[in-house]
Amino acid sequence: MMRRPELDHVLTTMLDSQPEVSDLLFTVSRPLQVEAYGELKPVTLDPAIDRLTPYQSEAIALNLVGENQWHLQDLMRKGSCDTSFQLGERARFRVNIFSQRGHYSIVCRKLNTIIPTLTTLKFPDVLQQIPREKTGLVLVTGATGSGKSTTLAAVLNEINLTKAVHIVTLEDPVEFVYPSVRATFNQREQGTDFDCFSSGLRAALRQAPKVILVGEMRDRETVNIALSAAETGHLVLSTLHTIDAGQTINRILGMFEPEEQEQIRMRLADSLRWVVSQRLVPRISGGRHALLEIMGSNLRTQETIRLGESEGKSFYEIIEASYAFGWRTFDQAALEAFELGQITEENALLYCSKRGTVTRGMDNMKKARGEITTTAGSLRMKGLVDPLGSARPAPAATLKIK
């Protein structure tokens, strides 16, 4: 049986194997692997583990779970469990253990122990308005690993520095551990302190918080209680796995029955303050750059939530028109990053929402710089220079543009 010091040695070696390791992967019949800058890399141990055995993966899994009976029961009954693991002073991990083809696989996401700020993240100034909100619902959305937790941590850090309030967090698992500066934190972990987000959130309403962080809006009941909390004087921060602001609204509405839609639309229109969607793009200088789509609340967004999107009144168009106020679509964010030389043209097109819009925007930028944006001119003149290099007039038919 693997002992704890041996596991610590394995995890430390994996962390040291590459710069900027984000995930550690353990899969039967595969070598130990880490993810760095979005790519998997094998890890060499001494003695070497070329192919992880079922026994080894189970031993690692049981060490990571420890004596938590709640997580062990989840693993046995549901086939997977989420937990956290502290590697001394070196690192903290969010751990998912799951069964596949009769064996255990493990993914350990390295959590950043340094609490970020909105300034160090170099986010747009408009996001400084989020920590100043008194009540309402703020959603940060994006795919797994797009930095949602980091953004929420920066918001909570700003509140901690500026407001003497009680903050309750419901997390799966606890990621950043906040020292109390002006605010008082109570951080609760699913599987240890509460069983599900809806029950944890219901209990939080009796714990006199001013700010509530809900790890994820996973079901209708959680959304319903979160809206009630936002309506009764709390600032509720949470995440959703959606790709942009419009899909976020539609995902929430889709959790409810058709006969409930009208009432939920009214409540959401009144309570929603901000939707921030994120995509991480490879940066030219190395690392990754966060593209943000930012939608706030105004009369147009409230009306569109109540009545639904229509021609000329889509969330995309509303955000696009509010660029002067700091809002932005992914396409505007991609063009901005491209213009500043932070991301390549290829990645701007790969991570945007509407390729045509971004292509036109980049062409306009190139024209303003005096760069050639098309090869049509060189194609048209092909064959019109004789071998001696003297130019001869092109036939009129060749120059005719149809």
Side-chain angles (χ1 to χ4, degrees), residues 17 36 41 67 96 165 170 185 189 194 232 259 275 285 297 301 308 338 343 357 372 391 395:
S17 67
K41 310 279 188 181
E67 298 178 1
N96 182 266
V165 294
L170 308 171
F185 281 86
E189 185 167 303
F194 63 94
T232 53
E259 59 271 18
V275 178
S285 60
S297 177
T301 54
F338 170 73
I343 65 174
T357 301
I372 295 173

Side-chain angles (χ1 to χ4, degrees), residues 165-168 203-212 234:
V165 294
H166 181 205
I167 301 173
V168 171
L205 296 178
R206 298 190 294 273
Q207 291 157 7
K210 285 290 185 289
V211 180
I212 305 171
H234 304 85

Side-chain angles (χ1 to χ4, degrees), residues 137-141 152 212-217 222 226 236-240:
L137 181 63
V138 175
L139 297 173
V140 179
T141 81
L152 286 172
I212 305 171
L213 170 70
V214 185
E216 188 183 340
M217 297 284 197
T222 305
V236 181
L237 311 171
S238 191
T239 70
L240 271 173

Side-chain angles (χ1 to χ4, degrees), residues 27-270:
T27 304
V28 170
S29 298
R30 297 287 292 157
L32 304 183
Q33 294 175 298
V34 297
E35 182 173 322
Y37 297 123
E39 286 192 11
L40 290 180
K41 310 279 188 181
V43 176
T44 303
L45 282 181
D46 185 20
I49 299 179
D50 297 323
R51 294 159 63 88
L52 198 68
T53 67
Y55 176 79
Q56 288 169 327
S57 72
E58 184 173 337
I60 293 167
L62 293 175
N63 266 278
L64 290 168
V65 171
E67 298 178 1
N68 191 311
Q69 295 300 314
W70 206 324
H71 293 323
L72 280 173
Q73 287 176 18
D74 265 357
L75 187 57
M76 299 301 173
R77 287 204 311 261
K78 300 177 182 177
S80 70
C81 75
D82 290 302
T83 185
S84 59
F85 186 83
Q86 183 82 34
L87 179 60
E89 297 296 316
R90 176 68 193 275
R92 183 174 168 81
F93 299 96
R94 182 175 69 205
V95 180
N96 182 266
I97 303 167
F98 57 98
S99 175
Q100 61 96 24
R101 295 189 299 161
H103 307 311
Y104 289 127
S105 288
I106 305 153
V107 178
C108 301
R109 163 64 53 85
K110 184 188 172 190
L111 303 175
N112 198 337
T113 53
I114 300 170
I115 299 171
T117 68
L118 293 171
T119 305
T120 57
L121 292 174
K122 297 180 181 177
F123 280 173
D125 292 342
V126 69
L127 292 191
Q128 295 285 353
Q129 296 179 34
I130 295 178
R132 298 178 195 144
E133 298 286 356
K134 298 281 192 228
T135 64
L137 181 63
V138 175
L139 297 173
V140 179
T141 81
T144 302
S146 59
K148 300 184 294 293
S149 299
T150 303
T151 300
L152 286 172
V155 171
L156 285 179
N157 183 63
E158 189 66 27
I159 295 172
N160 189 19
L161 295 173
T162 56
K163 297 181 181 179
V165 294
H166 181 205
I167 301 173
V168 171
T169 73
L170 308 171
E171 302 174 70
D172 183 21
V174 168
E175 297 195 18
F176 296 91
V177 178
Y178 301 90
S180 291
V181 180
R182 293 199 66 197
T184 294
F185 281 86
N186 276 294
Q187 296 184 252
R188 308 186 70 207
E189 185 167 303
Q190 185 175 20
T192 302
D193 305 311
F194 63 94
D195 60 347
C196 63
F197 282 123
S198 55
S199 64
L201 186 50
R202 191 179 290 108
L205 296 178
R206 298 190 294 273
Q207 291 157 7
K210 285 290 185 289
V211 180
I212 305 171
L213 170 70
V214 185
E216 188 183 340
M217 297 284 197
R218 290 180 179 167
D219 53 59
R220 169 188 157 181
E221 189 178 6
T222 305
V223 172
N224 212 350
I225 302 168
L227 285 172
S228 297
E231 290 164 341
T232 53
H234 304 85
L235 177 62
V236 181
L237 311 171
S238 191
T239 70
L240 271 173
H241 289 283
T242 50
I243 60 169
D244 57 30
Q247 192 189 79
T248 300
I249 304 300
N250 294 328
R251 173 71 61 83
I252 291 173
L253 295 173
M255 292 181 183
F256 295 85
E257 300 298 327
E259 59 271 18
E260 300 174 288
Q261 294 273 325
E262 188 175 349
Q263 184 192 18
I264 292 300
R265 283 183 180 276
M266 297 289 287
R267 295 176 67 194
L268 190 59
D270 291 339

